[in-house]
């Protein structure tokens, strides 16, 4: 457990007894708590020397879908008889929410993300991820990659779990940004760059403000009739879809930036 303070170092919080994320996330004011702890004499580590763990412990990782117009349009184009389902869910009161990953399966920044060997059309989905405490309150934000097999999903919507959940299909990181309001987060930009053999093969951007639903609304539906004693992480959907001719390849390097948070970087492997 560490605190990134903006001066290219990380403050080691473990000597102060902070050994679990959840303790902080359950606190009503984690920023004030960390400011208090940061006044203690704690070891500093250069960020360049840090190997990141995914910022998730026992939280289940869920994802929202079709929350941006761009996602709705792309999905209607990739499928035939499922097209109306995307159209309807975009406008419906109830959002699309699906289970994405167990915490222990999440890739950290610097670890590989996967493309399925039985799929020919794989894309990253760069998404803002809400870090929710056990009361369903947004305690912080991180960057998520909801890796997806578009041909499997497009063939039949009932194949969605196979298109979305497989080894290394979810990345989160590099860390959790605390203390931003929804209004502030809605000003953030999401950017993706994909490099292959040293060349840029795709770049795209979107604005968090384009998400159709409020964060509280998404979290509220997730916590309806379901409790999360350890909290949960909820990816908020993608607004960036590469052209239909694009598919990821092994060794591609994916960089996702959200302006208020940082960079999530992963290399692609076949799984
Ligand atoms: O309905 C399929 C998944 C949608 C999704 O993951 C997204 O919009 O980000
Ligand atoms: Mg997604």
């Amino acid at each position: 457990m560490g605190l990134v303070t903006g001066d290219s170092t990380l403050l080691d919080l473990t000597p102060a007894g902070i050994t679990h994320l959840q303790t902080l996330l359950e606190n009503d004011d984690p920023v004030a708590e960390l400011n208090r702890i940061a006044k203690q004499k704690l070891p500093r580590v250069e960020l360049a020397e840090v190997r990141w763990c995914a910022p998730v412990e026992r939280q289940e990782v869920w994802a929202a879908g079709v929350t941006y117009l761009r996602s709705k349009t792309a999905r209607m184009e990739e499928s035939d008889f499922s097209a109306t389902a995307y159209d309807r869910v975009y406008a419906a009161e109830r959002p699309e929410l699906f289970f994405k990953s167990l915490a222990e399966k999440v890739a950290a920044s610097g670890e590989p993300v996967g493309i399925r060997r039985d799929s020919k059309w794989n894309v990253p989905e760069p998404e803002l991820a809400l870090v929710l405490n056990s009361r369903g309150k947004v305690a912080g934000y991180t960057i998520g990659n909801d890796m997806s097999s578009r041909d499997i999903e497009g063939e039949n919507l009932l194949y969605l779990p196979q298109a979305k959940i497989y080894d290394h299909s979810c990345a989160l990181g590099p860390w959790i940004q605390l203390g931003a309001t929804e209004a502030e987060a809605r000003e953030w930009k999401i950017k993706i760059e994909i490099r292959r053999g040293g060349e840029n093969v795709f770049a795209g951007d979107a604005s968090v403000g384009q998400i159709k639903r409020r964060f509280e609304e998404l979290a509220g539906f997730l916590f309806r009739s379901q409790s999360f004693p350890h909290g949960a992480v909820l990816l908020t959907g993608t607004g960036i879809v590469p052209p239909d001719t694009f598919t990821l390849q092994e060794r591609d390097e994916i960089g996702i930036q959200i302006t208020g948070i940082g960079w999530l970087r992963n290399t692609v492997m076949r799984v």
Side-chain angles (χ1 to χ4, degrees):
M1 287 288 295
L3 177 66
V4 178
T5 54
D7 60 355
S8 82
T9 63
L10 176 143
L11 211 54
D12 182 359
L13 297 174
T14 46
I18 306 289
T19 51
H20 289 96
L21 262 178
Q22 206 190 339
T23 326
L24 280 175
L25 302 179
E26 292 299 322
N27 191 302
D28 275 334
D29 192 349
V31 174
E33 173 71 353
L34 282 170
N35 280 333
R36 194 183 57 75
I37 293 167
K39 292 200 178 90
Q40 300 176 30
K41 208 167 160 37
L42 294 168
R44 281 191 179 273
V45 186
E46 287 296 321
L47 283 190
E49 288 169 23
V50 173
R51 187 178 62 81
W52 301 105
C53 296
V56 62
E57 288 163 338
R58 296 181 66 186
Q59 295 85 358
E60 292 175 29
V61 183
W62 285 69
V66 199
T67 51
Y68 288 82
L69 199 56
R70 178 72 188 99
S71 176
K72 179 188 93 153
T73 316
R75 291 190 150 84
M76 288 178 73
E77 284 164 7
E78 85 195 357
S79 55
D80 41 39
F81 64 91
S82 314
T84 50
Y86 296 111
D87 201 19
R88 284 190 196 189
V89 81
Y90 183 74
E93 189 203 346
R94 185 186 289 274
E96 177 197 8
L97 297 177
F98 57 91
F99 178 75
K100 179 66 187 177
S101 184
L102 291 173
E104 69 248 35
K105 291 184 159 189
V106 172
S109 193
E111 291 179 348
V113 286
I115 49 175
R116 292 183 64 118
R117 54 185 70 247
D118 62 351
S119 164
K120 291 190 172 58
W121 190 13
N122 295 279
V123 291
E125 292 192 357
E127 306 189 8
L128 176 72
L130 310 178
V131 181
L132 305 169
N133 65 20
S134 65
R135 302 185 295 286
K137 181 173 171 279
V138 179
Y141 305 86
T142 188
I143 305 173
N145 183 351
D146 170 25
M147 293 285 289
S148 303
S149 297
R150 288 192 67 188
D151 50 350
I152 296 178
E153 180 185 337
E155 189 181 340
N156 189 322
L157 204 44
L158 295 177
Y159 296 152
L160 189 78
Q162 294 173 75
K164 294 286 190 178
I165 309 167
Y166 53 87
D167 289 347
H168 296 263
S169 67
C170 179
L172 291 176
W175 48 59
I176 294 172
Q177 177 71 39
L178 297 168
T181 62
E182 171 161 355
E184 287 164 343
R186 282 191 171 266
E187 295 295 315
W188 295 345
K189 296 273 174 287
I190 305 180
K191 201 167 100 175
I192 184 165
E193 292 172 359
I194 304 174
R195 292 176 71 77
R196 183 173 299 154
E199 306 268 310
N200 257 354
V201 287
F202 176 71
D205 57 73
S207 162
V208 173
Q210 293 167 324
I211 299 176
K212 182 173 182 272
R213 298 175 189 266
R214 313 241 338 134
F215 300 164
E216 264 179 30
E217 178 189 342
L218 293 171
F221 271 98
L222 182 64
F223 276 68
R224 269 197 196 187
S225 300
Q226 182 164 216
S227 37
F228 294 93
H230 307 288
V233 177
L234 178 59
L235 279 68
T236 54
T238 191
I240 306 173
V241 184
D244 291 357
T245 48
F246 179 86
T247 185
L248 285 169
Q249 293 179 12
E250 252 178 311
R251 290 181 290 280
D252 281 357
E253 292 164 21
I254 305 171
I256 302 174
Q257 184 191 36
I258 298 188
T259 42
I261 307 177
W263 282 91
L264 171 66
R265 295 185 191 278
N266 303 92
T267 299
V268 175
M269 74 172 180
R270 191 173 296 276
V271 297

